[in-house]
Amino acid sequence: MNDLIRPSRVAEVLCKFGLAPHKGLGQNFLVDAHALEKILAAADIRENELIVEIGPGLGTLTRELAKRARHVVAVEKDKKLTPVLAETLADYTNVQVIFQDALEMDWEDCLEGQAPPYKVVANLPYYVTTPLLMGLLESPVHFSRLVFLVQQEVAERIQAKADTPEYGALSLAVQYYAEVKVKAQIPPRAFFPPPRVSSAVVELTVRECPSAYFGLTDERVLFSLVRAAFGQRRKTLVNSLTAGGFLRSHVLRALDVCRILPSTRGEKLDLAAFIALAQTMTRLREEG
Ligand code: SAM
């Protein structure tokens, strides 16, 4: 039994080391065995896998990852947790704790010499969810799966479909890189201290080569289109894309080829439509 999952034990450990949860670092420690199980079920760890954990905190989830995986690399920003993790992870010889800001990690460097497969499992500090998530998806290192506990609102944005209020550039980017599943809702009482909002376990199965999967020649064109379309969300596509630097004549031609009305707004287009548009724009650019 992992005693760190008990709220009384968390309070005891914090007290022993003279610490209090650091709000600015998003320290809401997991104190619910059911939520822990949901994360582990989504991660579906095999004994040959290397797991990266972001923000091990007191080591509660880390211990469970270490029991299941070949090796765990845990990246923690808060150096004050050094003695805590030295104690709580003392029995786990396959864990390496790196005290660094995960946003500044060079994942290729960090995992050099370590054989794949790699997965990431984390109860994420909410204030850095989006940049961390995008950094991992865009990394040259292929993480086959990302399992995150995130704010419910972020989970909704990640899995949103076209023409819904939650839909936007984040939904499109994540759905381009990965297949998204929201596995469970986790109430605030599962954490110490409880956050103000509910959370959700999100499972992302990352495509090995998304451009090949979608038959896309130049993914930079896709991301430029998405940025332009959602940078000025209320504008029609022809206006937002032209304002975003695309040639008006190419935009009008491409919209015609893709059978999209120029007066449509970007939020109406799903990923497949954005990909078709990107592919057509790329072809028009190449034709001059
Ligand atoms: N994994 C622990 C658990 O489930 O109880 C703690 C999760 S807590 C929500 C988030 C953790 O991420 C904290 O330990 C915090 O110090 C750490 N953290 C915050 N910002 C970070 C960053 N930029 N890089 C790495 N760790 C960070």
Side-chain angles (χ1 to χ4, degrees):
M1 162 69 178
N2 185 342
D3 62 338
L4 288 170
I5 200 67
R6 290 203 315 264
S8 58
R9 183 73 186 118
V10 167
E12 222 172 86
V13 170
L14 289 171
C15 176
K16 175 174 173 185
F17 290 93
L19 297 171
H22 191 308
K23 207 173 163 201
L25 286 174
Q27 289 182 352
N28 301 100
F29 301 112
L30 204 56
V31 288
D32 183 282
H34 177 70
L36 187 59
E37 266 168 37
K38 292 282 179 195
I39 298 172
L40 293 167
D44 189 25
I45 297 168
R46 309 293 156 99
E47 58 187 20
N48 67 330
E49 290 174 340
L50 182 145
I51 307 296
V52 170
E53 185 190 9
I54 308 213
L58 307 182
T60 317
L61 174 58
T62 326
R63 281 180 169 181
E64 298 306 317
L65 301 174
K67 285 180 204 165
R68 292 162 175 80
R70 180 183 95 235
H71 191 71
V72 178
V73 175
V75 183
E76 173 56 62
K77 184 171 177 182
D78 188 358
K79 290 198 175 71
K80 287 195 182 140
L81 294 172
T82 308
V84 179
L85 289 168
E87 182 173 299
T88 59
L89 300 177
D91 294 340
Y92 300 85
T93 52
N94 59 341
V95 179
Q96 174 193 5
V97 182
I98 300 176
F99 286 94
Q100 199 179 312
D101 186 334
L103 285 173
E104 289 167 10
M105 288 298 284
D106 177 332
W107 298 112
E108 237 177 339
D109 227 35
C110 166
L111 299 175
E112 203 189 339
Q114 294 279 5
Y118 311 128
K119 286 179 177 170
V120 183
V121 183
N123 170 14
L124 280 186
Y126 292 158
Y127 76 110
V128 281
T129 301
T130 306
L132 266 174
L133 172 57
M134 290 316 300
L136 289 161
L137 289 172
E138 288 165 357
S139 163
V141 174
H142 178 67
F143 296 102
S144 61
R145 187 175 290 193
L146 312 177
V147 173
F148 292 142
L149 200 47
V150 298
Q151 278 179 299
Q152 175 72 30
E153 174 254 328
V154 176
E156 281 164 13
R157 282 169 55 212
I158 288 175
Q159 71 160 356
K161 297 287 173 232
D163 207 13
T164 62
E166 295 78 23
Y167 187 62
L170 181 67
S171 333
L172 280 159
V174 177
Q175 290 170 30
Y176 171 71
Y177 285 109
E179 190 192 318
V180 179
K181 285 188 190 147
V182 176
K183 302 295 282 189
Q185 290 190 4
I186 308 294
R189 64 169 184 278
F191 303 89
F192 174 82
R196 270 176 294 139
V197 292
S198 286
S199 304
V201 177
V202 175
E203 176 192 308
L204 306 179
T205 305
V206 186
R207 302 184 219 289
E208 207 154 347
C209 183
S211 58
Y213 179 87
F214 288 111
L216 190 62
T217 314
D218 186 349
E219 63 186 17
R220 287 169 307 181
V221 177
L222 172 70
F223 288 111
S224 301
L225 286 172
V226 170
R227 253 196 316 279
F230 288 94
Q232 299 189 311
R233 205 181 164 107
R234 305 309 303 162
K235 280 194 174 176
T236 63
L237 266 176
V238 69
N239 287 336
S240 62
L241 299 185
T242 309
F246 289 93
L247 271 181
R248 194 177 177 88
S249 59
H250 281 185
V251 171
L252 286 167
R253 273 283 303 286
L255 290 172
D256 187 44
V257 170
C258 297
R259 299 184 184 286
I260 301 165
L261 286 175
S263 58
T264 310
R265 283 202 286 262
E267 61 203 18
K268 300 272 183 201
L269 300 194
D270 62 11
L271 178 60
F274 267 107
I275 285 173
L277 197 56
Q279 200 55 8
T280 311
M281 291 294 284
T282 306
R283 187 167 52 76
L284 293 176
R285 187 189 59 191
E286 279 162 8
E287 287 169 3

